[in-house]
Amino acid sequence: MIELHISAASWTGRVRSQNEDMVLVDHQFIREDSCKTQVVLDGEDRFLVAVADGMGGHNRGDVASSDTLHNLQYFFYDIPSCLTAGDFNEAIVEWLESINNYIASKGRADEQFKGMGTTLVGLACYNSNFYSLNCGDSRLYRFHDHQLVQLTTDHSLNKTDANQKRSNVITNCIGGGFNSSFIDMVQMTDSVKPDDLFLLCSDGLTDMLPDRMISDLLEKNADASSLCDAAIEAGGNDNVSCCVITIK
């Protein structure tokens, strides 16, 4: 039996006119809001948290992130129980193809949706195993023994200037005109230990706060709302969303 203590938040920030991010916590969708909850997983229970960052340089990123998370939530909880790890991976790949086709068809049918896209980062528990999911440059971190480690790889063109600022040029996402999106999926059950903490976030957090500052805040037991507030206080140049999960 595993107990998860979860906080999540998603805010527009100081610069953007609307929030194109969204957070999924089990069956709850969060945008311009925050939440806290506890979940007990036992046996065949399944659980999903995810962050989607709609692409601000494209039309209707808010719709792309919402459509993707609603579609994923329905799909994930409808998957048959007791699939093998390989079959589960194949199911997620099939879902990615399906949601890409859906977003592309929506753009063909209505000009306002043409080219819309979103990133996706998620943590899923299925059949007693934990999996990370990543498409784009939103991130999953693990905070363990006072060390913050990024578990996902950014699918973006990263700058290497003195300030270590990240580029907003995405090389992989859901929709966005990409014809061959892919999703990194890693089984990480052995990495889930009691008292560990996992952080999922959009780049609105990591562009504003360096990993050192995020680590310091987590050391002080900061929840998702506190992390988002710190990013907004640091400038809030983008929408900011995150989900903090502590394993008990």
Side-chain angles (χ1 to χ4, degrees), residues 24-38:
L24 168 64
V25 178
D26 197 17
H27 297 285
Q28 184 172 359
F29 299 91
I30 300 160
R31 173 181 283 161
E32 292 305 297
D33 202 357
S34 63
C35 79
K36 287 188 176 182
T37 188
Q38 296 180 20

Side-chain angles (χ1 to χ4, degrees), residues 6-240:
I6 303 165
S7 64
S10 178
W11 303 108
T12 301
R14 293 182 172 177
V15 175
R16 303 288 188 184
S17 61
Q18 67 175 350
N19 191 353
E20 297 185 327
D21 289 2
M22 182 172 278
V23 182
L24 168 64
V25 178
D26 197 17
H27 297 285
Q28 184 172 359
F29 299 91
I30 300 160
R31 173 181 283 161
E32 292 305 297
D33 202 357
S34 63
C35 79
K36 287 188 176 182
T37 188
Q38 296 180 20
V39 176
V40 176
L41 300 177
D42 191 9
E44 298 301 317
D45 292 343
R46 63 182 74 182
F47 187 74
L48 175 66
V49 294
V51 172
D53 179 355
M55 295 169 58
H58 293 253
N59 293 336
R60 302 313 305 270
D62 59 323
V63 175
S65 59
S66 178
D67 283 354
T68 294
L69 289 187
H70 280 83
N71 190 289
L72 176 62
Q73 189 265 353
Y74 177 83
F75 179 87
F76 176 75
Y77 287 100
D78 196 49
I79 293 174
S81 299
C82 298
L83 293 181
T84 65
D87 288 341
F88 180 57
N89 182 86
E90 185 176 334
I92 295 298
V93 170
E94 290 176 357
W95 168 80
L96 178 65
E97 181 178 0
S98 173
I99 188 62
N100 266 318
N101 289 337
Y102 173 78
I103 288 178
S105 67
K106 202 166 184 175
R108 289 192 295 269
D110 191 331
E111 186 69 22
Q112 70 169 314
F113 301 124
K114 186 176 182 180
M116 68 178 181
T118 184
T119 69
L120 174 72
V121 65
L123 180 65
C125 179
Y126 171 79
N127 201 19
S128 300
N129 286 306
F130 283 88
Y131 298 85
S132 64
L133 313 172
N134 181 50
C135 181
D137 69 343
S138 295
R139 293 179 174 181
L140 171 64
Y141 289 90
R142 182 190 186 204
F143 189 62
H144 173 79
D145 285 343
H146 313 289
Q147 298 292 322
L148 185 68
V149 177
Q150 182 179 343
L151 300 181
T152 52
T153 299
D154 297 342
H155 302 155
S156 66
L157 300 178
N158 292 327
K159 294 182 180 179
T160 57
D161 61 19
N163 294 321
Q164 294 295 302
K165 297 292 185 180
R166 289 200 295 153
S167 168
N168 61 0
V169 178
I170 303 294
T171 58
N172 177 47
C173 74
I174 295 171
F178 283 83
N179 295 320
S180 57
S181 298
F182 62 92
I183 192 162
D184 291 336
M185 183 171 169
V186 178
Q187 186 180 138
M188 49 178 290
T189 308
D190 292 340
S191 297
V192 179
K193 306 294 184 183
D195 297 324
D196 278 355
L197 182 150
F198 293 91
L199 167 66
L200 299 89
C201 61
S202 63
D203 63 358
L205 181 74
T206 51
D207 279 353
M208 292 291 99
L209 303 179
D211 284 3
R212 172 191 52 77
M213 185 175 294
I214 295 173
S215 181
D216 289 344
L217 289 167
L218 293 176
E219 195 75 57
K220 298 174 183 176
N221 297 314
D223 61 8
S225 290
S226 297
L227 289 170
C228 288
D229 288 345
I232 292 171
E233 185 176 339
N237 293 341
D238 198 355
N239 307 148
V240 55

